[in-house]
Amino acid sequence: MTRFNDWRDQVFDIIYKTDTKLGKAFDVLLILSILLSVFAVMLDSVERINARHGEWLYLVEWFFTILFSIEYIVRVCVNPRPLKYIFSFYGLVDLLSVIPTYISLFIPGTNEFLVIRIVRVLRIFRVLRLSHYIHQANFLLSALNSSRQKVTVFLFFVVTLATIFGSVMYVIEGPDNGFTSIPRSIYWAIVTMTTVGYGDISPHTAIGQAIASVVMILGYSIIAVPTGIFTAELASKIQREGITTVSCLSCKKTDHLVGANYCHSCGTKL
Amino acid sequence: MTRFNDWRDQVFDIIYKTDTKLGKAFDVLLILSILLSVFAVMLDSVERINARHGEWLYLVEWFFTILFSIEYIVRVCVNPRPLKYIFSFYGLVDLLSVIPTYISLFIPGTNEFLVIRIVRVLRIFRVLRLSHYIHQANFLLSALNSSRQKVTVFLFFVVTLATIFGSVMYVIEGPDNGFTSIPRSIYWAIVTMTTVGYGDISPHTAIGQAIASVVMILGYSIIAVPTGIFTAELASKIQREGITTVSCLSCKKTDHLVGANYCHSCGTKL
Amino acid sequence: MTRFNDWRDQVFDIIYKTDTKLGKAFDVLLILSILLSVFAVMLDSVERINARHGEWLYLVEWFFTILFSIEYIVRVCVNPRPLKYIFSFYGLVDLLSVIPTYISLFIPGTNEFLVIRIVRVLRIFRVLRLSHYIHQANFLLSALNSSRQKVTVFLFFVVTLATIFGSVMYVIEGPDNGFTSIPRSIYWAIVTMTTVGYGDISPHTAIGQAIASVVMILGYSIIAVPTGIFTAELASKIQREGITTVSCLSCKKTDHLVGANYCHSCGTKL
Amino acid sequence: MTRFNDWRDQVFDIIYKTDTKLGKAFDVLLILSILLSVFAVMLDSVERINARHGEWLYLVEWFFTILFSIEYIVRVCVNPRPLKYIFSFYGLVDLLSVIPTYISLFIPGTNEFLVIRIVRVLRIFRVLRLSHYIHQANFLLSALNSSRQKVTVFLFFVVTLATIFGSVMYVIEGPDNGFTSIPRSIYWAIVTMTTVGYGDISPHTAIGQAIASVVMILGYSIIAVPTGIFTAELASKIQREGITTVSCLSCKKTDHLVGANYCHSCGTKL
């Protein structure tokens, strides 16, 4: 029994961790498999390729489905808390990666249904989570997190502006010029404010073009807001690396200015 | 009489403030009602939905109109200075939210007229004004305010550039290529400089495309200006928030962290 | 004679300066005249308006031309160095603002020629140069100036990238998909990199779309470069307002850190 | 023999360096030749110009090809380590600049093949590498380099988002609305997220437009991320340049202005 547990621990280290040689090799193989299988799903959706190489892609699909199924079962078996894994984000992604193929055996599924398999691409993040890129990602996420409230206010403001301007344009341009309804006009306002500018709907009247110009210059200018928020947050984070993480011996407080001689909280000499 | 005043004060607290339990509940209900009624106005403008569910939407509209009318009357009644409220920004918004529906009874209004009801969306801001998001919004607004003059100079510069480039393109491309007038060419220049790029008007001659390229690269580069202005302003605001300008009584050093009790340089109590 | 000189000096103060009451009134009138005349030139280019109100606009045009001609002559007369004014930037703009109308009397000019009058819009800058906005404009210009070299390097880099990618797309997509020549393909590359995206030329082959995606993500990312350059320059300028302009009594050097006790150049106590 | 070596050294200085008078003259001539030859290649690709002036351009092409061939041979001869040069980046670019013209003599090449000559434009960078612009370019590159990891994480995130959103839109919009395959839908997602917005593919269903709006606002907002990363990196670089980390010998204070002779805190000579 101990021998079995030993073996289970070893497999756990290989597929869940990355600090052993085998663990790294497994990660590389996993990333390759994921990329190849995602690539196969993509190619399969191209009609011309599907018509010519459909059978090959069918085989490739089943190869990866079985591979990932085995991986899933092993992951469940070697995990000391299997239920926690199954209902975790990555556990559900792992399941969604293989289920559609099996279901398509019983219910002749349409292409649309099989697209769910594209979530496989998210599995790469699990591997990356273990790499040294995670430090950078966390740094960015923490900056995004501290600017969350400001960004929410900004987004709410943008959506309100789009609603108002969209409604105004619905009245001015009217259904004849493509602004057939308020939701569609709001869609136009978002396309314009974000400077995407498809051109599928565009103002035709002089006054409509004047208002559109205002919307564009507004959108062009207020992009400064999310950029400014995030940049300022990031800059202050980078600078705060100029605020040390030395902790005071007496009150345990951290975050002292570089070069500080005394704790700013209790006055003890650092 | 006192009892009536008491009751009036209580209602005032509920609908104008947010610190009581009932006040919060009222705010949540109000936001929901606003969102639902705005959503109904939007759906009503979609021809297909209007044709099929028009009668339901008509009832929904009247339900919210009467609800908001009652709210408006109560707001006027319980406010100690009713006139000030009526002619305030939110007072006018509240009135504009319900008036169009009543008028449509007497004058069979077109859809265009009823769109005014979309201003209801602005009523949400009143509720948000009371929440903790207001601090973030004020922070952003104060940063925008201090960069107002710089942004005005920038916008004036952009509009002048658009006028000059628009006129140049009007001469070069001419009416045959869609640049039918100077205002329309200026509209093109704004569409291009703000990188929106609908494509409803685009240069066809070689020299026109060369000048358009210059306009694009210009627009692509000078977006740096509003972004730079706002970011620098925001960064200096955030920095000023994290480090006080309190100076130590004994060594006269300033720049202590917010919340510091002792000077980080000499250890004296601040 | 002295009386004439006195009179001349007064007129000079009114039209060249802004610190007297009359000077301010003159500026406001001038800006209004410029805006109205520019507006008239614009309207004149709209065919429908020209057909209906052409004669009125013709009168308006001559009214402003004569007004600006008188202003020009007065400016030359009261200026102590008339030649310097005539060949200055604003002197030439003033001349170009009126000349086309006179020439159109002798040579029945096309609309295209008369468009030159739009340079009148530049005359507004002269008035603004005198206002308090000029401080903000100078601040921005000085930040732009110190980032000039970096921006030049960046623009050269962008143009080279556009040349390479444009040529690659010319080979891959070919004339059949709209990429009819290298210059046109470079135009496409600029349209794409600057995220304008007219859609008048867009890739049709799979490999072309893949390369276009790379160009887009590149353009989307490197917009960070001019923005970053300008923002960093501006932020350091704003911060340097944290570097005082106190000058040392002994060596006359300025630019000491806020809170410095001794001159960083000669060691004298500040 | 020594005389020959002397001569070789002098030629080496002229064509590889820039600090002699002749060296500078050579550089200017080289840049002019490169620009002219690149311009000729571009014009040659325009069908109408090719039809009319094709023979002239053919002569111009051979003139520059022979010129660059001589330059290439001289570069190989005078370089003390010819093999290292030949297989260096610029050596290969130099070769690719002339080879296609020679090959076209034997194999009547298509236009597509001759486009390779456009790599000549890269030769300009060699000359610029020697100029004072190189300092600015290095500054930018070093800032880009230190933000490399963060930008990689960001790009990976963008591509994943594009994959997910592209697949979702493939299911929702389907082949009838232009989303014919997953790769094409991902192409659409990239066009939208980068705010390019060609409009060659755009959503037609209501739910598709709603999701597209989310993608646009997302793309509009997350442009803040690369900009923020680069700006923060650049700002900290510029700041580090203006304030040294030299510490005062007597009071141990750091952060003196570049070029400071005396400590700003205690007045001791640095």
Side-chain angles (χ1 to χ4, degrees):
Chain A
M1 195 60 204
T2 327
R3 189 176 284 173
F4 173 72
N5 272 348
D6 257 28
W7 175 84
R8 217 172 72 164
D9 282 2
Q10 269 182 327
V11 173
F12 181 83
D13 282 357
I14 290 169
I15 65 173
Y16 279 98
K17 290 183 184 171
T18 193
D19 39 17
T20 62
K21 224 172 177 175
L22 274 168
K24 269 179 197 160
F26 177 80
D27 285 349
V28 171
L29 271 175
L30 189 59
I31 288 189
L32 278 177
S33 309
I34 294 168
L35 287 179
L36 278 173
S37 72
V38 166
F39 198 62
V41 171
M42 284 184 189
L43 287 182
D44 200 41
S45 76
V46 182
E47 211 174 319
R48 225 166 24 133
I49 293 173
N50 185 296
R52 213 183 300 170
H53 308 288
E55 279 166 51
W56 276 99
L57 288 169
Y58 188 75
L59 286 182
V60 167
E61 180 49 39
W62 272 106
F63 172 74
F64 283 118
T65 299
I66 290 162
L67 205 74
F68 293 155
S69 305
I70 294 168
E71 188 212 338
Y72 182 70
I73 291 161
V74 172
R75 271 188 196 271
V76 172
C77 290
V78 302
N79 200 312
R81 300 161 73 188
L83 277 177
K84 207 192 153 196
Y85 161 70
I86 288 168
F87 292 105
S88 72
F89 175 70
Y90 284 113
L92 292 171
V93 165
D94 289 352
L95 197 64
L96 277 172
S97 298
V98 292
I99 284 277
T101 317
Y102 291 115
I103 291 179
S104 72
L105 277 183
F106 306 105
I107 309 152
T110 60
N111 261 334
E112 278 69 25
F113 179 69
L114 287 166
V115 166
I116 298 174
R117 295 173 307 184
I118 213 91
V119 295
R120 281 172 192 169
V121 82
L122 291 175
R123 304 183 70 216
I124 294 179
F125 280 106
R126 174 168 32 207
V127 182
L128 288 186
R129 216 177 35 165
L130 303 164
S131 76
H132 61 293
Y133 279 103
I134 197 62
H135 175 68
Q136 304 292 342
N138 279 345
F139 193 82
L140 290 180
L141 284 176
S142 95
L144 277 174
N145 204 41
S146 34
S147 49
R148 207 189 47 232
Q149 278 199 321
K150 287 195 194 69
V151 169
T152 307
V153 168
F154 168 73
L155 287 181
F156 184 74
F157 181 69
V158 166
V159 170
T160 307
L161 271 182
T163 307
I164 302 281
F165 276 113
S167 306
V168 168
M169 288 298 275
Y170 170 66
V171 174
I172 288 171
E173 291 277 327
D176 297 340
N177 293 322
F179 295 75
T180 50
S181 67
I182 296 185
R184 197 169 151 83
S185 302
I186 293 174
Y187 164 71
W188 168 85
I190 291 175
V191 168
T192 302
M193 281 188 77
T194 56
T195 77
V196 170
Y198 282 135
D200 50 351
I201 318 169
S202 65
H204 291 288
T205 65
I207 186 120
Q209 293 181 343
I211 291 173
S213 299
V214 172
V215 176
M216 282 171 220
I217 291 179
L218 211 68
Y220 182 65
S221 303
I222 61 174
I223 203 175
V225 177
T227 308
I229 293 167
F230 183 70
T231 306
E233 209 64 60
L234 206 63
S236 98
K237 257 205 192 325
I238 285 178
Q239 205 162 56
R240 236 172 287 152
E241 299 190 350
I243 295 177
T244 63
T245 51
V246 171
S247 61
C248 173
L249 292 172
S250 108
C251 72
K252 310 291 175 208
K253 278 219 112 184
T254 52
D255 293 345
H256 300 95
L257 281 173
V258 166
N261 302 322
Y262 295 89
C263 172
H264 62 73
S265 175
C266 66
T268 311
K269 210 168 166 46
L270 290 174
Chain B
M1 195 60 201
T2 328
R3 190 175 284 173
F4 172 72
N5 272 347
D6 258 26
W7 175 84
R8 213 172 76 164
D9 281 1
Q10 269 184 327
V11 174
F12 180 83
D13 282 358
I14 290 169
I15 64 173
Y16 280 98
K17 290 182 183 171
T18 194
D19 38 18
T20 61
K21 224 173 177 176
L22 275 168
K24 267 179 199 162
F26 178 79
D27 285 348
V28 170
L29 271 175
L30 189 59
I31 288 189
L32 278 177
S33 309
I34 294 168
L35 287 179
L36 278 173
S37 73
V38 166
F39 197 62
V41 172
M42 284 186 190
L43 286 182
D44 199 41
S45 77
V46 182
E47 212 174 320
R48 226 166 23 132
I49 293 173
N50 184 296
R52 214 182 301 170
H53 308 288
E55 279 164 50
W56 277 99
L57 288 170
Y58 188 74
L59 287 182
V60 167
E61 179 49 39
W62 272 106
F63 172 74
F64 284 118
T65 299
I66 290 162
L67 205 75
F68 292 156
S69 304
I70 295 168
E71 188 211 337
Y72 182 71
I73 291 160
V74 172
R75 271 189 196 273
V76 172
C77 291
V78 301
N79 201 313
R81 299 162 72 189
L83 277 177
K84 205 191 153 196
Y85 162 68
I86 288 168
F87 292 106
S88 71
F89 175 70
Y90 284 114
L92 292 171
V93 165
D94 288 352
L95 197 62
L96 277 172
S97 297
V98 292
I99 284 278
T101 317
Y102 292 115
I103 292 179
S104 72
L105 278 182
F106 307 105
I107 309 153
T110 60
N111 261 334
E112 277 70 26
F113 178 70
L114 287 166
V115 167
I116 298 174
R117 296 172 308 184
I118 212 90
V119 295
R120 281 171 191 170
V121 82
L122 291 175
R123 303 182 71 214
I124 293 179
F125 280 107
R126 175 169 31 207
V127 182
L128 288 185
R129 215 176 36 162
L130 303 164
S131 77
H132 62 291
Y133 279 103
I134 196 63
H135 175 67
Q136 302 294 342
N138 279 345
F139 192 82
L140 289 180
L141 284 176
S142 94
L144 277 174
N145 204 41
S146 35
S147 49
R148 207 189 48 231
Q149 280 199 321
K150 287 195 195 68
V151 169
T152 307
V153 168
F154 169 73
L155 287 182
F156 183 75
F157 181 70
V158 165
V159 170
T160 307
L161 269 183
T163 308
I164 302 281
F165 275 114
S167 306
V168 168
M169 288 299 274
Y170 170 64
V171 175
I172 288 171
E173 290 278 329
D176 297 339
N177 293 323
F179 295 76
T180 49
S181 67
I182 295 184
R184 198 168 150 83
S185 302
I186 292 173
Y187 164 72
W188 168 85
I190 291 175
V191 168
T192 302
M193 281 187 77
T194 56
T195 75
V196 170
Y198 283 136
D200 51 350
I201 318 167
S202 65
H204 291 288
T205 65
I207 186 121
Q209 293 182 342
I211 290 172
S213 299
V214 172
V215 176
M216 282 170 221
I217 291 179
L218 211 68
Y220 182 65
S221 302
I222 62 175
I223 204 175
V225 177
T227 308
I229 293 167
F230 184 70
T231 306
E233 210 64 61
L234 205 64
S236 97
K237 257 204 197 324
I238 283 178
Q239 203 161 58
R240 244 174 285 151
E241 240 190 11
I243 295 179
T244 65
T245 51
V246 170
S247 62
C248 173
L249 291 173
S250 113
C251 74
K252 310 293 177 207
K253 282 220 85 184
T254 53
D255 293 345
H256 300 94
L257 283 172
V258 167
N261 302 322
Y262 294 90
C263 171
H264 63 73
S265 176
C266 67
T268 310
K269 210 167 164 48
L270 289 175
Chain C
M1 195 59 202
T2 326
R3 188 174 287 173
F4 173 72
N5 272 348
D6 257 26
W7 176 84
R8 216 174 71 164
D9 281 1
Q10 270 182 327
V11 174
F12 181 82
D13 281 357
I14 290 168
I15 63 172
Y16 278 98
K17 291 183 181 169
T18 194
D19 38 19
T20 63
K21 224 173 178 175
L22 275 169
K24 267 180 198 160
F26 176 81
D27 284 349
V28 170
L29 272 176
L30 189 59
I31 288 188
L32 278 177
S33 311
I34 294 168
L35 287 179
L36 278 173
S37 72
V38 165
F39 197 62
V41 171
M42 283 185 190
L43 287 182
D44 200 42
S45 77
V46 182
E47 212 172 320
R48 226 166 24 132
I49 294 174
N50 185 294
R52 214 183 300 171
H53 308 287
E55 279 166 49
W56 276 99
L57 288 171
Y58 189 74
L59 286 181
V60 167
E61 180 48 40
W62 272 106
F63 171 74
F64 283 119
T65 300
I66 289 162
L67 204 76
F68 292 155
S69 304
I70 294 167
E71 188 211 338
Y72 182 71
I73 291 161
V74 173
R75 271 189 196 273
V76 171
C77 290
V78 302
N79 200 311
R81 299 163 72 188
L83 277 177
K84 206 192 154 197
Y85 162 67
I86 289 168
F87 292 105
S88 71
F89 174 70
Y90 284 113
L92 292 171
V93 165
D94 288 352
L95 197 63
L96 277 172
S97 298
V98 292
I99 283 278
T101 317
Y102 291 114
I103 292 179
S104 72
L105 279 183
F106 307 105
I107 309 154
T110 60
N111 261 335
E112 277 71 25
F113 180 68
L114 287 167
V115 167
I116 297 175
R117 295 171 308 184
I118 212 92
V119 296
R120 282 171 190 169
V121 82
L122 291 175
R123 302 184 71 215
I124 293 179
F125 280 107
R126 173 168 35 207
V127 183
L128 288 185
R129 216 178 34 164
L130 302 164
S131 77
H132 62 292
Y133 279 103
I134 196 64
H135 174 68
Q136 304 293 343
N138 279 344
F139 192 81
L140 289 179
L141 283 176
S142 95
L144 276 175
N145 204 40
S146 35
S147 50
R148 209 188 46 232
Q149 279 198 320
K150 286 194 195 68
V151 169
T152 308
V153 167
F154 169 72
L155 287 182
F156 184 74
F157 181 69
V158 165
V159 170
T160 307
L161 270 183
T163 308
I164 302 281
F165 275 113
S167 306
V168 168
M169 288 299 273
Y170 170 66
V171 174
I172 287 171
E173 291 279 328
D176 297 340
N177 292 324
F179 295 76
T180 50
S181 66
I182 295 183
R184 197 168 152 84
S185 302
I186 292 173
Y187 164 71
W188 168 86
I190 291 175
V191 168
T192 302
M193 282 187 76
T194 57
T195 76
V196 171
Y198 283 134
D200 51 350
I201 319 169
S202 66
H204 291 288
T205 65
I207 186 123
Q209 292 182 343
I211 291 173
S213 299
V214 172
V215 175
M216 282 170 221
I217 292 180
L218 211 68
Y220 182 65
S221 303
I222 62 175
I223 204 175
V225 177
T227 307
I229 294 169
F230 184 70
T231 306
E233 210 64 62
L234 206 63
S236 99
K237 260 207 193 322
I238 284 177
Q239 202 163 58
R240 237 172 284 152
E241 300 190 349
I243 294 178
T244 64
T245 51
V246 170
S247 61
C248 173
L249 291 172
S250 108
C251 74
K252 311 290 176 210
K253 278 219 113 185
T254 53
D255 292 346
H256 300 95
L257 281 172
V258 167
N261 303 322
Y262 295 90
C263 171
H264 63 72
S265 175
C266 67
T268 311
K269 211 165 166 42
L270 289 174
Chain D
M1 197 59 204
T2 327
R3 188 175 286 173
F4 172 72
N5 273 347
D6 258 26
W7 174 84
R8 216 173 71 165
D9 281 1
Q10 270 182 326
V11 173
F12 180 83
D13 282 357
I14 291 168
I15 63 174
Y16 278 98
K17 290 181 184 171
T18 194
D19 39 18
T20 62
K21 223 173 178 175
L22 274 168
K24 269 180 197 160
F26 177 80
D27 284 348
V28 171
L29 271 175
L30 188 59
I31 287 188
L32 278 177
S33 310
I34 294 168
L35 288 180
L36 278 173
S37 72
V38 166
F39 198 63
V41 171
M42 283 185 190
L43 287 182
D44 200 41
S45 77
V46 183
E47 212 173 320
R48 227 167 24 134
I49 294 174
N50 185 295
R52 213 184 299 171
H53 308 286
E55 280 166 50
W56 276 99
L57 287 170
Y58 188 74
L59 285 181
V60 167
E61 180 49 39
W62 272 106
F63 171 75
F64 283 118
T65 300
I66 290 163
L67 204 75
F68 292 155
S69 304
I70 294 169
E71 188 212 337
Y72 181 71
I73 290 162
V74 172
R75 270 187 198 273
V76 172
C77 290
V78 303
N79 199 312
R81 300 164 72 188
L83 277 177
K84 207 192 154 195
Y85 162 68
I86 289 168
F87 292 105
S88 71
F89 174 69
Y90 284 113
L92 292 172
V93 165
D94 289 352
L95 197 63
L96 277 172
S97 298
V98 293
I99 284 277
T101 318
Y102 291 114
I103 291 178
S104 73
L105 278 183
F106 305 105
I107 309 153
T110 60
N111 261 335
E112 277 71 26
F113 179 67
L114 287 167
V115 166
I116 298 175
R117 295 173 307 184
I118 212 92
V119 295
R120 282 172 191 168
V121 82
L122 291 175
R123 303 183 71 215
I124 293 178
F125 279 106
R126 173 167 34 208
V127 182
L128 288 185
R129 215 176 36 163
L130 302 164
S131 77
H132 62 294
Y133 279 103
I134 197 63
H135 175 67
Q136 303 292 345
N138 279 345
F139 192 81
L140 289 179
L141 284 176
S142 96
L144 276 173
N145 205 41
S146 34
S147 50
R148 207 189 49 230
Q149 279 199 322
K150 286 195 194 70
V151 169
T152 307
V153 168
F154 168 73
L155 287 182
F156 184 74
F157 181 69
V158 166
V159 170
T160 307
L161 270 183
T163 307
I164 301 282
F165 275 113
S167 305
V168 168
M169 287 299 273
Y170 169 66
V171 174
I172 288 170
E173 291 279 328
D176 296 340
N177 292 323
F179 296 75
T180 49
S181 66
I182 296 184
R184 197 169 152 84
S185 302
I186 292 173
Y187 163 72
W188 168 85
I190 291 176
V191 167
T192 301
M193 282 188 76
T194 57
T195 76
V196 170
Y198 283 134
D200 50 352
I201 318 169
S202 64
H204 293 286
T205 65
I207 186 123
Q209 293 181 342
I211 291 173
S213 299
V214 172
V215 176
M216 282 172 220
I217 291 180
L218 210 68
Y220 182 65
S221 303
I222 62 175
I223 203 175
V225 177
T227 308
I229 293 167
F230 184 69
T231 306
E233 210 64 61
L234 206 63
S236 97
K237 256 203 196 324
I238 284 178
Q239 204 163 57
R240 243 174 286 150
E241 243 190 9
I243 296 180
T244 64
T245 52
V246 171
S247 61
C248 172
L249 291 172
S250 113
C251 74
K252 310 294 174 207
K253 281 219 86 183
T254 52
D255 292 346
H256 300 94
L257 284 172
V258 166
N261 302 321
Y262 294 90
C263 173
H264 62 72
S265 175
C266 67
T268 312
K269 206 166 168 46
L270 290 173

